Every structure is written in structure tokens, then in C-alpha cells.
Amino acid sequence: CIAPGTLLVHGLGLSAAQQRRLVEAGASVVWCPGSNLHLFDRTLDPDWLFAQGRLALGSDSRISGSRDFLTELALVRELTGWSEARLETWVTEGAARMLGLSDRGRLEPGLRADLIALPPGLPLSQATRADLRLVVVAGRPLYADPDLGEALSLVPVRVDGRLKAIAPHLLMSEPGLECVLEEAEA
């Protein structure tokens, strides 16, 4: 059943021989360490799969895993001690390459414009969703600091206590997310 492009989520039960067979078949593992630790009190050793370019990071379900991708990335930093440069390359260029997405993962003319902006000097693995200054997906701004929000036609919100702005179609019931339109109108 394992073929090129197959993605296994977790891979916690894979032996070293099974991991080798997986890589030889051109398949990969999406690692969700927060969920692994919550459910099984252990997680896989990511180093070999990482070295083969066959490991991506996932955030699984909030029921069993981390709150979001950034929280999961901070956990990976804690578990592995990997450098910030390694982590950033892994979740950008490395993930795009593993998934066969040649039009993203880096900033170059003609590629899909997916990006985030952080405060100067803040490493990605230490950022929270409230720290994000700007999120652009396929060239469309979806989330920003409040000073950019109005110019980008985003809706004012409070995220984890900080004023932000979000694309209207992303407004939802979410812990830590509050619409502040009512405050502005009052």
C-alpha cells in the first residue's frame, strides 16, 4: 500500500526497518509530537526521517495535540534542540520539497506568495499566533497587526489578548479569538 507520495500520520509504531522501507518507497511521515506525547507518553525519534527528507510537522487535533502549528514547532525545538535555521528550513522549503510543491516554500518571483512576518529578532519557533505581524496565503492577506488591518480590509479582532485583524471569512468561534467590532462601534 505504500507508494511514492504516501503520507503516514504519526508513524509512532514504525520500526527502523519499516522506516527504511517507507523511505525506499518514496513515502513520508507527518510527525505530530504533541499528540504522540499526550496519547502515548512517547514519540518517534525524528532525526533519521528528517535526514532523509521524509519528515513533515503536523499539529493533529486540539483534542489530543497542541493548540496550533507554532505551539507544535516550539515543542519540536524543546524535544530535539534543533537550530532555528534548521526548524525554519524544515517547515518551509523542506516541507514543500517533501510534498512535491515546487511553487512554494521560499520567496522567489513567480512562486505562490505564502508568507508570515514576525517582529524583528523573534525566532519562528518562539512565536505565538498573537506575535504574527502578517499572514499572506496565495498573495491574499488573511491576518495582520491592527495598523495594517483597515488598509487590507480585515476585521478587527483580539487574539489571545492582543489587537489584530483577520479576513472576514475566517471569523469563527475559537478560544482566544474575539471580534472587537462591537467595541469600536460603542
Side-chain angles (χ1 to χ4, degrees), residues 6 64 76 119 152 157 173:
T6 299
S64 63
V76 170
L152 298 172
V157 292
S173 177

Side-chain angles (χ1 to χ4, degrees), residues 17 19 23-24 27 34 36 51 60 83 90 94 98 118-119 124 146 153 160 164 173 176 181 185-186:
Q19 287 185 22
V23 168
E24 288 167 4
N36 295 165
D60 204 6
S83 71
W90 177 46
M98 188 192 88
L118 296 172
L124 179 61
S153 300
D160 301 333
K164 295 290 179 176
S173 177
L181 282 176
E185 293 171 356

Side-chain angles (χ1 to χ4, degrees), residues 32-44:
C32 305
S35 179
N36 295 165
L37 293 171
H38 177 77
L39 294 173
F40 304 105
D41 203 30
R42 66 187 182 92
T43 191
L44 60 80

Side-chain angles (χ1 to χ4, degrees), residues 1-3 14-27 48:
C1 297
I2 305 297
L14 294 173
S15 67
Q18 289 169 324
Q19 287 185 22
R20 281 191 302 278
R21 282 183 31 217
L22 180 102
V23 168
E24 288 167 4
W48 188 79

